[in-house]
Amino acid sequence: MDTRLTPREREQLYSLIREKLEPGGAELDDTTMVGELPGVDSVKLLSLVGAVELGFRVNLGFEAIPQVRTVHDIEQLICDSRERYTARAS
């Protein structure tokens, strides 16, 4: 299974990050340290994880929160969740 988001999905992820974490003018890329964006706290991270679950129709769970360090980590969590679902479905 493909472990990368499509360009459209990646833009959706970046949009959710901008909406939930309000990083101001901070640039976002795969290596952006999410927890170091201005004003980010645990409540905002929880809100982001919930929005990602709804937006991408995946189940990340609360255990995903400490795993979120970079934007790439979030992408990987989405892909891992999809792989687990595919494995269970087959």
Side-chain angles (χ1 to χ4, degrees), residues 13-34:
L13 175 59
Y14 282 38
S15 178
L16 286 172
I17 292 169
R18 286 186 203 99
E19 177 187 330
K20 297 300 178 183
L21 301 184
E22 303 171 6
E27 290 291 320
L28 297 177
D29 64 30
D30 280 355
T31 62
T32 300
M33 298 296 289
V34 177

Side-chain angles (χ1 to χ4, degrees), residues 29-49:
D29 64 30
D30 280 355
T31 62
T32 300
M33 298 296 289
V34 177
E36 295 177 8
L37 290 170
V40 171
D41 58 23
S42 59
V43 174
K44 286 186 177 182
L45 282 176
L46 179 60
S47 175
L48 174 61
V49 169

Side-chain angles (χ1 to χ4, degrees), residues 36-78:
E36 295 177 8
L37 290 170
V40 171
D41 58 23
S42 59
V43 174
K44 286 186 177 182
L45 282 176
L46 179 60
S47 175
L48 174 61
V49 169
V52 167
E53 287 183 324
L54 290 173
F56 287 89
R57 297 182 180 162
V58 294
N59 183 12
L60 304 180
F62 290 113
E63 62 275 1
I65 295 170
Q67 296 177 42
V68 174
R69 293 178 307 278
T70 66
V71 172
H72 177 74
D73 292 337
I74 301 169
E75 180 174 340
Q76 192 61 52
L77 287 167
I78 293 167

Side-chain angles (χ1 to χ4, degrees), residues 1-6 9 75-76 79-80 82-83:
M1 173 148 203
D2 191 9
T3 59
R4 301 289 295 179
L5 298 180
T6 67
E9 289 174 321
E75 180 174 340
Q76 192 61 52
C79 294
D80 290 350
R82 288 175 173 173
E83 286 181 14

